[in-house]
């Protein structure tokens, strides 16, 4: 598929909204973290609910979808784009940066930086979608910077459906998690990197399962701090004196279930959710 035309860069005004996208509603955990940290920013969120999941798709398809998602946000006039999806970051971030001229931030780098900054980190477990784990992006970048690190990565494809179903504390989820995590726990991991934007909703059950000694690092909060620092560096931070911030959510497929999930992921009441055509 030919790459989309280069758009004119958004005016660069700090008052323009921030664009955020994910394959579905999982990336709203990133929006929640962004709103906590950057309360003056307006946000336009795109969830590609018509084509979720990305995690089981080929790298070419994921790249094509991510290019279309980013183009949609740029057409809305955003000043920067946050790829709130580990799978899309792993497979498409370079292509997005090569195609578009506005700042584009992913979720991998902040998670890697937070893992490396974690005190006494020696043995890291990584969980994510098939696409993210098979890309070896986390494993590669961690090993490059800390060759002595022991890394245990595992694709955990059943977790996204549990989260989407809202079964965040279900006995079946706990069984699945035990099965997934047992080999890592036997190797005494000290850090568990949650390489999927759906997983922050599993933090309570995960922490209970792995115990207090294992540090959990999640894509959402680490990404939000990274975005804050980068917006400041690009002189793109909105300030308190700017117009009141708005949050617009666009989904490529609208259903009651997607709306309910969006509310759950965001942890607050939402105004209208819009239908997006890419
Ligand atoms: N939210 C996506 C991620 O972070 C996972 C969901 C999917 O497979 O599309 O990788």
């Amino acid at each position: 598929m030919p790459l989309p035309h280069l758009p004119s860069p958004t005016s660069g005004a700090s008052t323009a909204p921030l664009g955020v996208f994910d394959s579905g509603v999982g990336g709203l955990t990133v929006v929640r973290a962004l709103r906590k940290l950057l309360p003056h920013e307006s946000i336009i969120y795109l969830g590609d609910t018509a084509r979720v999941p990305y995690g089981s798709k080929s790298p070419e398809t994921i790249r094509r979808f991510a290019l279309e998602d980013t183009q949609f946000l740029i057409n809305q006039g955003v000043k920067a784009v946050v790829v709130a999806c580990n799978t899309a970051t792993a497979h498409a971030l370079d292509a997005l940066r090569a195609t578009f001229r506005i700042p584009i931030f992913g979720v991998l780098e902040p998670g890697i930086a937070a893992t490396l900054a974690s005190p006494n980190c020696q043995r890291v477990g990584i969980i994510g979608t098939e696409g993210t784990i098979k890309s070896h992006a986390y494993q590669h970048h961690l090993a490059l910077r800390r060759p002595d690190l022991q890394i245990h990565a595992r694709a955990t494809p059943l977790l996204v459906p549990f989260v989407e179903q809202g079964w965040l504390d279900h006995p079946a989820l706990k069984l699945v998690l035990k099965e997934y995590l047992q080999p890592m726990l036997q190797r005494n991991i000290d850090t568990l990197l949650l390489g999927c934007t759906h997983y922050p909703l599993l933090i309570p059950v995960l922490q209970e399962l792995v115990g207090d000694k294992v540090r959990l690092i999640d894509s959402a909060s680490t990404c939000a701090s990274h975005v804050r620092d980068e917006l400041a560096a690009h002189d793109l931070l909105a300030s308190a004196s700017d117009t009141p911030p708005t949050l617009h959510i666009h989904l490529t497929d609208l259903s009651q279930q997607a709306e309910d999930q969006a509310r759950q992921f965001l942890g607050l009441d939402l105004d209208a959710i819009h239908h997006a055509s890419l």
Side-chain angles (χ1 to χ4, degrees):
M1 181 211 160
L3 295 180
H5 281 299
L6 280 176
S8 335
T10 307
S11 61
S14 58
T15 49
L18 187 58
V20 181
F21 81 85
D22 177 43
S23 54
V25 290
L28 287 171
T29 57
V30 177
V31 171
R32 187 164 64 176
L34 283 168
R35 281 166 63 96
K36 222 186 247 174
L37 216 56
L38 298 168
H40 309 305
E41 296 294 337
S42 287
I43 294 176
I44 297 182
Y45 180 85
L46 172 67
D48 193 5
T49 44
R51 303 189 291 194
V52 69
Y54 284 8
S56 52
K57 300 210 163 57
S58 70
E60 295 72 32
T61 300
I62 295 164
R63 263 193 295 281
R64 177 162 58 84
F65 289 175
L67 285 161
E68 290 168 5
D69 298 338
T70 305
Q71 183 74 66
F72 172 88
L73 290 171
I74 288 175
N75 292 347
Q76 308 289 313
V78 300
K79 62 185 173 187
V81 169
V82 180
V83 185
C85 174
N86 288 261
T87 314
T89 302
H91 290 289
L93 190 64
D94 291 346
L96 297 178
R97 286 182 171 158
T99 307
F100 301 109
R101 281 181 279 164
I102 62 170
I104 300 185
F105 314 116
V107 270
L108 261 82
E109 183 49 40
I112 290 166
T115 305
L116 294 174
S118 164
N120 305 320
C121 171
Q122 299 296 336
R123 292 174 298 280
V124 182
I126 308 170
I127 53 175
T129 65
E130 298 268 15
T132 299
I133 299 301
K134 279 189 186 156
S135 76
H136 290 280
Y138 276 118
Q139 299 95 307
H140 175 73
H141 287 286
L142 282 171
L144 212 60
R145 281 147 74 173
R146 273 278 309 273
D148 63 310
L149 206 60
Q150 289 181 37
I151 301 170
H152 309 287
R154 177 147 199 194
T156 49
L158 293 176
L159 299 188
V160 167
F162 271 107
V163 173
E164 298 213 330
Q165 199 57 46
W167 286 14
L168 305 181
D169 193 32
H170 195 282
L173 167 69
K174 291 182 184 174
L175 271 181
V176 168
L177 280 174
K178 272 190 195 138
E179 183 69 28
Y180 278 147
L181 298 177
Q182 194 131 14
M184 299 183 185
L185 294 173
Q186 276 167 355
R187 288 175 173 140
N188 286 323
I189 53 162
D190 48 55
T191 307
L192 180 62
L193 182 44
L194 312 186
C196 175
T197 50
H198 279 69
Y199 299 174
L201 288 172
L202 299 177
I203 286 176
V205 67
L206 276 167
Q207 196 74 70
E208 187 188 306
L209 203 74
V210 300
D212 292 346
K213 291 205 181 97
V214 177
R215 184 172 174 200
L216 300 184
I217 295 189
D218 80 82
S219 309
S221 54
T222 52
C223 174
S225 340
H226 174 73
V227 170
R228 179 196 51 198
D229 297 347
E230 288 294 315
L231 287 181
H234 286 84
D235 206 15
L236 283 175
L237 273 180
S239 66
S241 56
D242 294 335
T243 46
T246 55
L247 171 63
H248 288 281
I249 295 187
H250 301 257
L251 301 179
T252 52
D253 182 64
L254 278 184
S255 66
Q256 192 56 50
Q257 192 194 6
E259 288 203 23
D260 294 346
Q261 285 167 353
R263 287 193 172 80
Q264 182 188 21
F265 274 66
L266 209 48
L268 51 84
D269 276 343
L270 290 175
D271 297 334
I273 299 183
H274 316 275
H275 179 253
S277 300
L278 300 184

